[in-house]
Amino acid sequence: MQPPTPPTDPTFLSDLWTVLTLRAGFNTTTVIVGVTLLGLASGVVGSFALLRKRSLTSDAIAHAMLPGVATAYLAAVALGVNGKSLPVLLLGAAVAGLLGALMMHAINRLTRLEEDAAIGITLSVTFGLGVVLLSYIQRSPQGSAAGLHHFIFGQTAAMLPADAKLMGALALTALILGVLLFKELRLLAFNANFAQTIGLPVQFLDLALLALIVLVTVAGIQAVGIILVIALLIIPPAAARFWTDRSSRMVALGAVIGAGSGYLGAAISALAPNTPAGAAIVLTAGAIFFASMLLAPRRGALATTARAAWHRFRIATDHALENLYLAHTHDHTHPPRRQVIARPVAFYLQAARLAQRSSPVSDGGGGQSAARPEGEVRVTSHTRLTPTKAGLALGAQLRRNHLLWEEYLVTYADIARTHTDWPTDQVEHILDDTIIHRLESALEKRGVRLPPPA
Amino acid sequence: MTFLTLDLAPLLAATLAACACALVGNYLVLRRQSLMGDAISHAVLPGIAAAFILTASREPIPMLLGAAAAGLVTVALTSLIQSLGKVDRGAAMGVTFTTLFALGVVLIQHIPRTIDLDADCVLHGNLEALLWFPPDNITLASLATLPRQVHTLAFVMLGTIAFTAVFYKELRLTSFDPALAGALGFRPGLVNTLLMTLAAAAVVASFEAVGSILVIAMLICPPAAARMLTNRLGTQILLSQAIAIATAVGGYFAATQLPPLFVPDLTLNAAGMIATVSGIFVLAAAIVARIKDRPKPNPPSPAPSPAH
């Protein structure tokens, strides 16, 4: 077997462009438009499913559709109807999907088993039943299960324009219903109890969400396949979650990411016939997800790591300045312990050197230059820092705030809980004068040397 | 001799797989991590495909290693996405295993056709293809001529028994009270990693015989059925083993011996039937549990819940 054309091949890229601009023939174009609509709808429905923590419920529903497809085929053949008729098969799938949801609900409610076990039991047992039925169809004289196998992994290559239109219509229905029910479903997802209190029919809404999940899944099983169709419900909303905290934006972004994955994935699969569409679409969505996880501005991994490093740096420099101040004023009531200050000081030293290197201003004094023109420390040797006047003043304030906070937290432990996250330099802004006076006199009574306010 | 040739190897393979999976599955069900088995079994596909592509052979050792590595990647990625993305565990799992599975589906296209492995076979296994041509006078030594899959499964089964026996106390404590276990120095994180590795090994060894979706039934159904019938861990494990054996044997015969009675020469997919039968056992256990617990006004208190 030849490996598929590598994507760097220029003809592949020009072919991809032809497909992406919808000029690759009627069949391919209908399929791409249908899958894009599917992505759009599943992004919207999936967002509510994600917020309602129903992600893996949809997995069991999708798996339960395999016996539904097989039963519909057998019933159609027995009734003398064309067994490969897509609407018939999808109807069977929808009924089976709802039965699967019912089965999960029953296991969860009537036994002591947890939800995870209910999902696992439902998806494996129903899928097993489906495999048995497929093997029966395969070996029975009436016909072959060849077409039915495509529902497992999905196949766009064999899709007719009529199939794609049906898929698009189902997806569009789910999309419109999802948008119409937006306010109710959002409330359900965030606070079901509150929704119930203000008179929303919570059980009906949960059922409606379930019906929307079934609708999107049914629409998707032919193109994407039973096993991977839930990826469209899970991945785009989860990726959108990194970019925003607002549910309306998350739903919109989820829809865009879903549509983009469907569009790109279907195009790639149209060009590489060995790549099932489901896999191509899911890998596209997965790539978008991991890019979001790394790069999203506030919640992405890089941003989170940078923020954590900045906090550590701030705390370290604060400690260093405070300890430099203590050393400078020979305050022996709280002698700085070497092992405690060694790390922050080394850290600050490093930072000061970096700032010095990048700073255009230098006093040119043979290795004895200010960290910054208005800086707080001078690097006096490879291992020593000397505080400047500004640095000493800042260190004094840090020392003062630190002592006041400590005293405050110890004295007013019952109310201090809400204030513990504030940066130490804000003590004067947060506590009122009476409390500060009280803390000052308490500290003085114990003989602690408290620097005066700035 | 047809029983020995056609049926013994599949029966042994199914039984060993069911027992090994059920043994691990007890802890997955108790820890509310049943779906980790689901995720691992999906993610095994790229691991196996990668091992095939790298070694260009069907040797069991690289395959086991590749799949176990994929299983651990799944566990790690799920935790990472959960903590970074602040999404619920189910969604994190869903993202991980669908992406990995899709990767596996694409990778499998690169495997030369000479090696008989396709996506369908990965999904529902190939139990019936296990044949044994025993020598004329059968001794204990001739068991060595059984198909390789049976040997792999027997090995994994022994490993599973050894692990759960040696770490019985640790597994029990970390499953029921991870906080206490941690305070006592039992390292719940390490135990969890070992358990996941074991689950990956059981899944990998079994998937070849029964396929990657139906292995989920073997992992979850017998322990879940046993869980409904008892509150004692030891009893639950023994019960789950009995149910696993009954499921494997019953399912295999229901697929191969029952249909020919109605339609000549008809046999059904054995792995699928085993999963179906395991569902029947869960149903039966649920009914028994309801009848048994009926007189009490309150439902039986659930197991001490493992905290998250």
Side-chain angles (χ1 to χ4, degrees):
Chain A
M1 194 195 85
Q2 288 290 314
T5 327
T8 44
D9 188 339
T11 57
F12 180 89
L13 287 180
S14 75
D15 284 354
L16 184 65
W17 182 244
T18 313
V19 174
L20 285 177
T21 49
L22 304 180
R23 290 179 285 138
F26 185 63
N27 266 20
T28 314
T29 303
T30 351
V31 168
I32 291 180
V33 171
V35 173
T36 308
L37 273 176
L38 174 71
L40 209 59
S42 53
V44 171
V45 174
S47 296
F48 297 122
L50 176 76
L51 293 173
R52 189 88 176 114
K53 299 193 173 21
R54 289 273 190 278
S55 295
L56 288 179
T57 313
S58 49
D59 196 18
I61 292 175
H63 281 77
M65 288 181 178
L66 187 63
V69 168
T71 312
Y73 172 83
L74 286 172
V77 169
L79 292 172
V81 191
N82 175 17
K84 296 279 165 66
S85 150
L86 188 62
V88 172
L89 297 181
L90 292 191
L91 184 67
V95 172
L98 287 173
L99 286 177
L102 198 69
M103 176 172 164
M104 239 178 317
H105 189 68
I107 296 176
N108 213 2
R109 284 290 296 276
L110 301 178
T111 74
R112 62 167 72 161
L113 296 175
E114 304 286 345
E115 193 182 10
D116 64 320
I119 294 174
I121 291 170
T122 306
L123 82 85
S124 59
V125 171
T126 52
F127 197 82
L129 186 63
V131 168
V132 170
L133 289 175
L134 281 189
S135 73
Y136 172 72
I137 294 171
Q138 188 88 53
R139 283 156 216 185
S140 70
Q142 291 104 324
S144 81
L148 302 184
H149 272 291
H150 290 320
F151 282 98
I152 297 179
F153 287 108
Q155 206 195 41
T156 48
M159 275 176 89
L160 302 171
D163 300 346
K165 280 179 193 161
L166 180 61
M167 169 174 71
L170 288 173
L172 206 59
T173 315
L175 179 64
I176 291 169
L177 288 175
V179 171
L180 283 180
L181 287 174
F182 177 78
K183 261 169 60 184
E184 288 79 6
L185 287 177
R186 178 170 66 174
L187 197 53
L188 174 79
F190 278 109
N191 198 340
N193 287 338
F194 178 63
Q196 187 140 35
T197 317
I198 64 167
L200 282 181
V202 166
Q203 286 208 323
F204 170 78
L205 283 175
D206 251 335
L207 214 63
L209 180 59
L210 189 72
L212 286 181
I213 291 174
V214 170
L215 202 57
V216 172
T217 315
V218 160
I221 55 172
Q222 196 192 16
V224 186
I226 281 170
I227 298 177
L228 289 177
V229 69
I230 57 135
L232 269 181
L233 283 166
I234 298 177
I235 300 180
R241 186 72 188 85
F242 282 107
W243 298 91
T244 175
D245 283 333
R246 298 191 58 86
S247 58
S248 50
R249 280 184 207 154
M250 178 182 152
V251 171
L253 199 58
V256 170
I257 294 174
S261 315
Y263 172 67
L264 267 176
I268 291 170
S269 147
L271 290 176
N274 273 327
T275 312
I281 292 168
V282 173
L283 283 180
T284 312
I288 296 175
F289 175 86
F290 283 106
S292 306
M293 187 168 101
L294 273 183
L295 303 174
R298 268 181 5 87
R299 306 180 49 155
L302 291 181
T304 320
T305 315
R307 216 165 33 237
W310 168 244
H311 275 297
R312 272 203 306 278
F313 174 71
R314 250 201 80 136
I315 293 167
T317 49
D318 279 3
H319 282 186
L321 273 182
E322 192 182 333
N323 282 312
L324 284 171
Y325 164 79
L326 286 180
H328 186 79
T329 54
H330 305 288
D331 182 347
H332 293 301
T333 52
H334 291 270
R337 278 173 301 165
R338 187 170 292 278
Q339 63 270 35
V340 173
I341 67 164
R343 265 176 61 122
V345 169
F347 200 63
Y348 202 176
L349 196 62
Q350 198 67 34
R353 278 209 202 101
L354 279 175
Q356 193 175 320
R357 208 173 298 155
S358 61
S359 165
V361 182
S362 164
D363 65 2
Q368 290 204 3
S369 53
R372 275 173 285 161
E374 74 286 8
E376 289 111 16
V377 287
R378 255 169 218 284
V379 181
T380 44
S381 80
H382 280 294
T383 52
R384 289 184 76 84
L385 286 172
T386 308
T388 62
K389 227 173 176 171
L392 280 180
L394 192 58
Q397 285 321 297
L398 286 166
R399 176 70 187 154
R400 173 182 162 80
N401 288 333
H402 207 143
L403 286 173
L404 285 175
W405 266 130
E406 249 174 38
E407 187 65 18
Y408 175 70
L409 292 178
V410 170
T411 322
Y412 300 95
D414 48 340
I415 55 164
R417 239 162 24 120
T418 51
H419 286 163
T420 48
D421 281 344
W422 294 90
T424 44
D425 54 350
Q426 289 187 4
V427 68
E428 241 100 26
H429 299 293
I430 295 163
L431 303 183
D432 62 37
D433 291 343
T434 355
I435 292 189
I436 290 181
H437 281 307
R438 234 183 270 168
L439 295 173
E440 275 173 340
S441 50
L443 283 167
E444 264 165 40
K445 221 175 277 173
R446 291 215 311 275
V448 178
R449 200 193 299 172
L450 185 72
Chain B
M1 274 311 181
T2 50
F3 172 78
L4 288 182
T5 306
L6 292 178
D7 297 325
L8 182 67
L11 262 178
L12 274 177
T15 310
L16 287 170
C19 289
C21 287
L23 200 51
V24 188
N26 275 301
Y27 294 101
L28 295 183
V29 169
L30 282 177
R31 291 162 172 249
R32 298 180 192 177
Q33 286 190 326
S34 311
L35 293 174
M36 216 56 231
D38 178 17
I40 290 176
S41 77
H42 280 85
V44 152
L45 184 62
I48 289 164
F52 268 124
I53 288 170
L54 288 178
T55 63
S57 74
R58 256 187 112 132
E59 288 299 310
I61 300 295
M63 200 179 77
L64 272 167
L65 288 179
L72 293 180
V73 166
T74 313
V75 177
L77 257 184
T78 302
S79 314
L80 186 71
I81 292 174
Q82 194 187 2
S83 62
L84 275 179
K86 302 197 177 70
V87 292
D88 93 295
R89 191 168 173 75
M93 233 180 254
V95 172
T96 311
F97 81 73
T98 52
T99 310
L100 286 175
F101 191 80
L103 189 67
V105 170
V106 170
L107 280 181
I108 239 176
Q109 308 291 335
H110 290 257
I111 292 171
R113 284 276 171 265
T114 45
I115 295 176
D116 162 42
L117 181 101
D118 60 34
D120 279 348
C121 147
V122 171
L123 274 188
H124 37 76
N126 214 351
L127 204 52
E128 294 88 341
L130 298 178
L131 300 175
W132 185 38
F133 299 104
D136 288 336
N137 51 342
I138 295 173
T139 60
L140 213 56
S142 53
L143 285 180
T145 61
L146 276 165
R148 173 186 54 76
Q149 286 89 339
V150 178
H151 292 153
T152 313
L153 278 167
F155 177 74
V156 169
M157 173 79 208
L158 287 178
T160 317
I161 293 176
F163 179 84
T164 42
V166 170
F167 293 106
Y168 184 74
K169 188 173 58 181
E170 285 81 357
L171 280 169
R172 186 169 61 170
L173 194 55
T174 54
S175 297
F176 286 108
D177 196 342
L180 176 66
L184 292 175
F186 279 105
R187 309 188 57 184
L190 182 67
V191 174
N192 195 47
T193 309
L194 286 175
L195 183 67
M196 288 304 152
T197 316
L198 197 67
V203 166
V204 175
S206 314
F207 102 95
E208 223 187 334
V210 296
S212 68
I213 307 283
L214 305 175
V215 79
I216 304 166
M218 288 188 163
L219 272 173
I220 304 176
C221 289
R227 174 75 193 86
M228 289 188 275
L229 299 175
T230 176
N231 274 331
R232 301 201 57 84
L233 180 61
T235 320
Q236 180 188 321
I237 290 176
L238 290 179
L239 257 178
S240 76
Q241 292 299 298
I243 295 172
I245 294 170
T247 305
V249 176
Y252 182 77
F253 281 120
T256 56
Q257 310 297 316
L258 215 52
L261 301 180
F262 303 99
V263 184
D265 291 335
L266 176 72
T267 56
L268 299 173
N269 182 289
M273 193 57 95
I274 291 171
T276 311
V277 169
S278 71
I280 296 173
F281 271 97
V282 171
L283 179 68
I287 293 172
V288 170
R290 290 219 37 105
I291 295 171
K292 205 179 70 174
D293 297 339
R294 184 165 289 167
K296 294 170 198 162
N298 293 319
S301 60
S305 50
H308 291 289

